[in-house]
Amino acid sequence: MADAPQIPDEAETRARWGGFKWSDENVRKANEIASRYPENRRLSCSIPFLDLAQRQVGAETNTQGWLPIPVIEFVAREIGVPYIRVFEVATFYTMFNLAPVGRYHVQVCGTTPCMLRGSDDVMAACKSRGLHKGATTADGLFTLTEVECLGNCASAPMVQINDDNYEDLDFDRTVAILDALARGEQPKTGSQEPGRHTVEAYGGTTNLTAMVSENHDYRGEW
């Protein structure tokens, strides 16, 4: 695919990541994670171990992080299972990056609810700031990916940037978020609609309001 991210040459990847091991801090975290599971269920560590490894790669590269093949091999050895069992997990979940990404991984939801509410404008805003699907900007700051439903349909359109969601977006709000990140600032997360904090109705709460002060019986009103 033309917009697929490019994985570095294997020799280059192995030269850089072949000696990967847990940092001192992550040794403690990995031991805590492993303690949650019986010895004969260590495969259950796959997702948290891969997440921990991706975050360590991110910390070492000042990016959101990714999973080079030698790092996945390391995780498999730590768990004590064949490499392919962990690779299957890494390739199934889109939370794991199999190619390098930038400091900020901008994941734009393009599924129907977001599309109907303006995800094309969000994409246009990203493009106006030099972002292109499947690519990382020349300064290494942003990687743009179009993804499937991220579960915030009631506040669509939305993007996920690293660990944060930004919702109720339009062209200008998206540009403002990207510009703030480029300046090293932390923009407000969640809904960008003034006065809207979660996904409550724009006009305020209207359902079950009588339950605030008492156990109201609504059946006579149905």
Side-chain angles (χ1 to χ4, degrees):
M1 294 174 60
D3 60 356
Q6 297 302 305
I7 301 176
D9 178 77
E10 182 179 1
E12 175 188 340
T13 301
R14 290 198 174 275
R16 173 65 179 85
W17 299 106
F20 180 87
K21 61 181 182 179
W22 296 129
S23 66
D24 291 342
E25 180 183 2
N26 284 346
V27 166
R28 293 189 290 272
K29 290 182 178 179
N31 288 337
E32 191 279 325
I33 291 169
S35 71
R36 304 171 191 167
Y37 308 101
E39 283 294 327
N40 62 341
R41 294 290 186 270
R42 292 294 297 277
L43 187 60
S44 299
C45 297
S46 297
I47 290 178
F49 270 26
L50 287 171
D51 179 69
L52 188 63
Q54 180 166 279
R55 291 177 186 276
Q56 181 170 319
V57 171
E60 294 182 19
T61 58
N62 194 32
T63 68
Q64 202 236 350
W66 69 293
L67 291 171
I69 294 299
V71 174
I72 301 176
E73 292 171 342
F74 168 82
V75 169
R77 290 194 301 270
E78 286 287 290
I79 296 174
V81 298
Y83 160 76
I84 189 62
R85 300 299 302 277
V86 180
F87 184 72
E88 289 170 343
V89 176
T91 54
F92 180 82
Y93 292 99
T94 57
M95 63 188 279
F96 298 124
N97 303 314
L98 300 181
V101 295
R103 177 71 183 87
Y104 301 107
H105 188 189
V106 181
Q107 300 177 79
V108 178
C109 180
T111 312
T112 305
C114 278
M115 180 188 68
L116 292 174
R117 288 182 54 85
S119 64
D120 286 349
D121 292 335
V122 175
M123 275 292 187
C126 292
K127 187 175 181 180
S128 76
R129 288 303 184 262
L131 281 66
H132 300 281
K133 281 199 298 182
T136 300
T137 54
D139 58 9
L141 204 56
F142 295 107
T143 298
L144 178 62
T145 305
E146 183 175 1
V147 296
E148 295 303 315
C149 185
L150 291 170
N152 288 79
C153 305
S155 48
M158 62 88 62
V159 303
Q160 179 179 327
I161 303 179
N162 293 0
D163 291 332
D164 294 317
N165 287 352
Y166 299 88
E167 306 150 34
D168 286 316
L169 297 175
D170 57 21
F171 184 97
D172 292 336
R173 290 172 178 175
T174 305
V175 166
I177 290 168
L178 296 175
D179 287 350
L181 292 172
R183 292 192 300 268
E185 301 170 2
Q186 175 58 62
K188 174 185 177 294
T189 59
S191 174
Q192 304 300 299
E193 186 69 24
R196 197 180 195 209
H197 302 291
T198 53
V199 291
E200 69 273 18
Y202 289 117
T205 53
T206 58
N207 296 332
L208 306 181
T209 53
M211 295 289 285
V212 173
S213 58
E214 62 178 320
N215 187 19
H216 183 75
D217 186 349
Y218 282 91
R219 287 175 294 181
E221 303 170 26
W222 293 344

